[in-house]
């Protein structure tokens, strides 16, 4: 093997070794990336689950507040006595006597009752919100802000009432359903969050009928202070739970729109969502580092072992691959590689014409028979080296038989330059070769064929070059013949018989 071949083999082996190292480190990086992504996905999933849990807890607290408000209001208005009082004439009613004492025990800041014509018949305010003379005015403002809730309560009543003796009754199973005809919504009154609850004034007894299409309706407003949400957040393990008017929260906030009957939410709760992801990452980091070091060390050991195997067997494998396509004696391309090269060259011949030279050594067989194969091998090696150096980068030399060579010139250089090259090749073949048996000399006969002029396919082109080469032998050898020169069929037949 020559130095170039050795360098090529070492370069390919080094490239494979680098590929092994790169693959090992890529595996480590991919593994660590997969672990990191897994932890990230797990953290994101934990954050999502935590957010869903917090939403459920907050929603539960909101529902609990609403249920408590509904229950407080029902303690006032779900009464046979109060229901019968509403059926009296206006001048005979005494709602203050029935409600004032009870209202002192309930958390309403505003409370009012309207009749079937939506006129205010009772008003009360607490917690020093209004002066006594302003009760009706402030309660009327509450009613005006809650007319949609009143209409929803009327609609629920209409869907449940049943006709009975010039009036309407409510089936008992609806009377004992606390939320059946109740409508509520969280809204801001005087810049403070309130829960507004609307429900009809009904009797506890199912046979007491309502004489009008719509019953009296009670409207109550319960203030929800910020302190309540702070206490709720501490109880369920959350941070900074606060109410706001409907807005777009910042990215680091979680929010829940508060129910507002059929209208869009007027208020929302916002809080800082807890992040289990950070805890997961902090807890997993030491184990990830340890696992990474173990995987890295194991991969390095594997890479070292595999690299040593490649260094030991790489040259042998590549040598076998090289020998399958090259002559083992001269390191020139063999017949198999030459067939590939000429087929590839013929495909581009119409655009890139080239020249094929067929060379056969003269007087080689007698020398090989006389002095033996060792002398013959020395002759072949020296001649092959001379041919290769003469052709250089302008073509490729191949040994296709015992003493037969073929040369593909990359271009069609014209008759003059090609003739000069073939004359140089002949002189190099004739030049004496030192051997243990003294200086030995051979000759060379050359046939020249140009593609695509002398052949449209590889077999035709090689046949024309062979015909020209045999013609050179018939003429005494040590000469070159162009296939395009006129050769009669008789000459061709005699040339082959002579060969």
């Amino acid at each position: 093997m020559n130095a170039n071949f050795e360098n090529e083999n070492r370069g390919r082996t080094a490239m494979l070794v680098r590929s092994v190292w790169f693959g090992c480190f890529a595996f480590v990086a991919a593994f660590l990336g997969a672990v990191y992504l897994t932890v990230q996905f797990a953290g994101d999933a934990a954050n999502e689950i935590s957010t869903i849990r917090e939403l459920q807890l907050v929603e539960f607290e909101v529902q609990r507040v609403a249920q408590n408000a509904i229950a407080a209001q029902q303690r006032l208005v779900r009464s046979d006595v109060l229901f019968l009082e509403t059926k009296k004439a206006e001048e005979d009613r005494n709602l203050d006597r029935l409600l004032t004492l009870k209202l002192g025990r309930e958390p309403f800041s505003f409370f009012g009752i309207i009749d079937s014509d939506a006129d205010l018949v009772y008003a009360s305010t607490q917690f020093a919100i209004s002066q006594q003379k302003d009760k009706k005015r402030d309660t009327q403002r509450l009613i005006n802000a809650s007319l949609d809730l009143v209409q929803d309560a009327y609609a629920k009543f209409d869907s449940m009432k049943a006709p009975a003796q010039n009036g309407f009754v409510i089936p008992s199973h609806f009377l004992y359903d606390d939320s059946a005809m109740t409508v509520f919504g969280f809204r801001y009154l005087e810049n403070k969050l309130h829960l507004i609850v609307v429900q009809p004034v009904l009797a506890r007894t199912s046979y007491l009928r309502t004489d009008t299409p719509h019953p009296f309706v009670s409207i109550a407003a319960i203030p929800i202070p910020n302190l309540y949400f702070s206490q709720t957040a501490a109880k369920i393990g959350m941070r900074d739970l606060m109410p706001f008017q409907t807005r777009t929260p910042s990215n680091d906030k979680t929010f829940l729109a508060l129910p507002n009957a059929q209208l869009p939410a007027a208020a929302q709760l916002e809080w800082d969502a807890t992040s289990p992801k950070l805890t997961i990452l902090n807890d997993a980091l030491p184990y990830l580092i340890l696992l990474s070091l173990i995987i890295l060390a194991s991969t390095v050991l594997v890479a070292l072992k595999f690299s040593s195997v490649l260094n030991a067997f790489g040259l042998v494998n590549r040598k076998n691959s090289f020998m399958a396509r090259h002559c083992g004696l001269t390191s020139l391309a063999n017949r198999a590689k030459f067939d590939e090269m000429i087929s590839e060259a013929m495909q581009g011949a119409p655009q890139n014409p080239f020249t094929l030279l067929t060379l056969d050594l003269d007087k080689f067989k007698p020398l090989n028979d006389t002095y033996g194969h060792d002398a013959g091998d020395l002759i072949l090696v020296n001649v092959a080296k001379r041919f290769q150096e003469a052709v250089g980068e302008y073509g490729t030399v191949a040994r296709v038989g015992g003493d037969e060579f073929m040369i593909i010139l990359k271009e069609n250089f014209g008759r003059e330059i090609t003739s000069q090259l073939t004359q140089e090749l002949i002189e190099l073949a004739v030049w004496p070769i030192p051997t243990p048996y003294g200086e030995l000399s051979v000759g060379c006969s050359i046939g020249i064929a140009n593609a695509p002029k002398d052949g449209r396919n590889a077999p035709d082109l090689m046949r024309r070059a062979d015909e020209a080469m045999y013609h050179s032998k018939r003429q005494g050898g040590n000469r070159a013949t162009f296939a395009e020169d006129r050769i009669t069929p008789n000459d061709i037949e005699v040339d082959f018989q002579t060969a």
Side-chain angles (χ1 to χ4, degrees):
M1 290 293 168
N2 56 32
N4 291 335
F5 174 64
E6 294 290 340
N7 292 334
E8 182 181 358
N9 283 330
R10 282 194 294 269
R12 290 182 178 177
T13 301
M15 183 179 297
L16 279 177
V17 171
R18 287 194 297 270
S19 299
V20 169
W21 280 98
F22 177 79
C24 289
F25 283 115
F27 166 76
V28 173
F31 175 79
L32 294 180
V35 172
Y36 175 78
L37 290 177
T38 301
V39 174
Q40 286 285 346
F41 290 148
D44 292 340
N47 281 353
E48 184 176 353
I49 293 173
S50 176
T51 300
I52 293 174
R53 173 183 170 275
E54 290 176 349
L55 284 170
Q56 291 174 341
L57 290 174
V58 173
E59 189 172 4
F60 174 79
E61 288 297 323
V62 170
Q63 291 295 333
R64 190 173 67 83
V65 169
Q67 292 300 326
N68 289 341
I70 292 171
Q73 189 177 20
Q74 285 184 348
R75 286 194 291 269
L76 290 174
V77 301
R78 193 65 58 84
S79 163
D80 290 351
V81 176
L82 181 62
F83 175 75
L84 294 174
E85 193 73 19
T86 60
K87 298 183 67 171
K88 294 180 181 179
E90 181 177 355
E91 61 274 10
D92 297 329
R93 293 189 203 123
N94 190 0
L95 298 179
D96 287 337
R97 175 179 60 83
L98 297 175
L99 295 175
T100 302
L101 183 60
K102 292 182 178 181
L103 277 171
R105 299 193 295 266
E106 304 298 348
F108 305 131
S109 58
F110 297 95
F111 183 84
I113 295 179
I114 59 175
D115 60 17
S116 58
D117 296 323
D119 295 327
L120 181 64
V121 297
Y122 178 80
S124 176
T125 61
Q126 297 190 85
F127 312 125
I129 291 178
S130 304
Q131 297 296 327
Q132 184 69 22
K133 62 181 180 180
D134 297 329
K135 285 185 177 181
K136 286 191 176 182
R137 184 197 66 187
D138 292 338
T139 305
Q140 186 62 52
R141 287 165 56 189
L142 167 65
I143 294 171
N144 293 338
S146 310
L147 288 178
D148 62 294
L149 301 179
V150 173
Q151 294 301 321
D152 289 345
Y154 285 161
K156 284 192 173 186
F157 177 82
D158 291 340
S159 66
M160 298 176 189
K161 67 185 180 182
Q165 297 182 357
N166 299 323
F168 304 96
V169 295
I170 300 298
S172 58
H173 61 278
F174 288 130
L175 289 174
Y176 292 99
D177 184 353
D178 292 342
S179 60
M181 284 177 285
T182 303
V183 183
F184 66 90
F186 287 87
R187 300 179 181 182
Y188 275 89
L189 297 175
E190 298 182 354
N191 295 322
K192 294 182 180 180
L193 181 64
H194 284 72
L195 172 60
I196 302 176
V197 183
V198 175
Q199 54 183 317
V201 178
L202 298 174
R204 285 285 182 183
T205 307
S206 60
Y207 61 81
L208 292 177
R209 70 180 184 275
T210 300
D211 299 327
T212 58
H214 292 138
F216 282 45
V217 172
S218 65
I219 304 173
I222 303 173
I224 313 294
N226 293 346
L227 179 61
Y228 169 79
F229 293 107
S230 299
Q231 294 172 344
T232 300
K235 181 175 68 174
I236 61 180
M238 295 169 55
R239 295 180 300 165
D240 299 331
L241 178 64
M242 294 294 291
F244 295 92
Q245 293 188 13
T246 302
R247 64 177 186 176
T248 301
S250 58
N251 293 332
D252 58 343
K253 294 285 187 180
T254 304
F255 75 98
L256 174 69
L258 295 175
N260 191 25
Q262 302 297 324
L263 296 181
Q268 64 188 34
L269 294 177
E270 297 180 15
W271 66 94
D272 293 328
T274 55
S275 179
K277 180 179 180 178
L278 294 178
T279 303
I280 292 174
L281 290 176
N282 291 334
D283 291 344
L285 186 59
Y287 298 100
L288 288 178
I289 294 175
L290 179 60
L291 181 61
S292 301
L293 292 176
I294 293 174
I295 294 296
L296 181 60
S298 302
T299 304
V300 168
L301 290 176
V302 171
L304 287 173
K305 293 293 184 182
F306 201 80
S307 298
S308 64
V309 171
L310 282 178
N311 288 326
F313 293 101
L315 183 59
V316 175
N317 292 335
R318 284 170 180 74
K319 182 178 179 180
N320 291 337
S321 176
F322 183 88
M323 296 304 297
R325 295 160 56 84
H326 292 80
C327 171
L329 179 64
T330 63
S331 296
L332 297 177
N334 60 12
R335 186 75 194 207
K337 184 172 178 61
F338 173 80
D339 288 341
E340 294 177 4
M341 291 189 299
I342 195 169
S343 296
E344 182 178 352
M346 289 302 301
Q347 292 177 1
Q351 295 77 27
N352 301 295
F354 67 94
T355 299
L356 173 65
L357 307 181
T358 299
L359 303 89
D360 191 83
L361 300 183
D362 299 330
K363 302 184 296 182
F364 174 77
K365 189 175 185 304
L367 292 177
N368 191 58
D369 293 342
T370 302
Y371 297 103
H373 292 294
D374 291 340
D377 290 346
L378 282 173
I379 294 173
L380 291 173
V381 170
N382 280 272
V383 169
K385 184 177 181 181
R386 294 173 183 178
F387 287 172
Q388 185 66 60
E389 291 175 351
V391 173
E393 63 182 9
Y394 299 104
T396 303
V397 182
R399 182 189 175 200
V400 296
D403 60 349
E404 185 177 355
F405 298 85
M406 282 191 172
I407 299 175
I408 297 178
L409 298 178
K410 295 180 180 179
E411 300 179 30
N412 187 344
F413 295 102
R415 287 182 66 95
E416 182 177 355
I417 295 177
T418 304
S419 296
Q420 293 175 2
L421 175 61
T422 55
Q423 185 60 38
E424 181 181 356
L425 294 173
I426 293 170
E427 293 174 358
L428 291 173
V430 173
W431 193 267
I433 299 169
T435 70
Y437 311 100
E439 290 186 345
L440 303 178
S441 178
V442 294
C444 180
S445 297
I446 302 176
I448 306 168
N450 293 312
K453 180 180 178 181
D454 296 325
R456 294 289 180 177
N457 53 59
D460 287 346
L461 186 67
M462 289 189 290
R463 178 178 57 79
R464 294 297 307 278
D466 284 340
E467 291 173 355
M469 183 269 292
Y470 286 124
H471 184 78
S472 296
K473 276 190 173 296
R474 181 173 176 272
Q475 298 301 317
N478 287 338
R479 67 183 62 223
T481 301
F482 283 88
E484 64 185 8
D485 293 341
R486 295 186 61 83
I487 302 175
T488 65
N490 291 332
D491 290 336
I492 296 174
E493 183 177 357
V494 171
D495 291 341
F496 278 100
Q497 290 175 356
T498 302

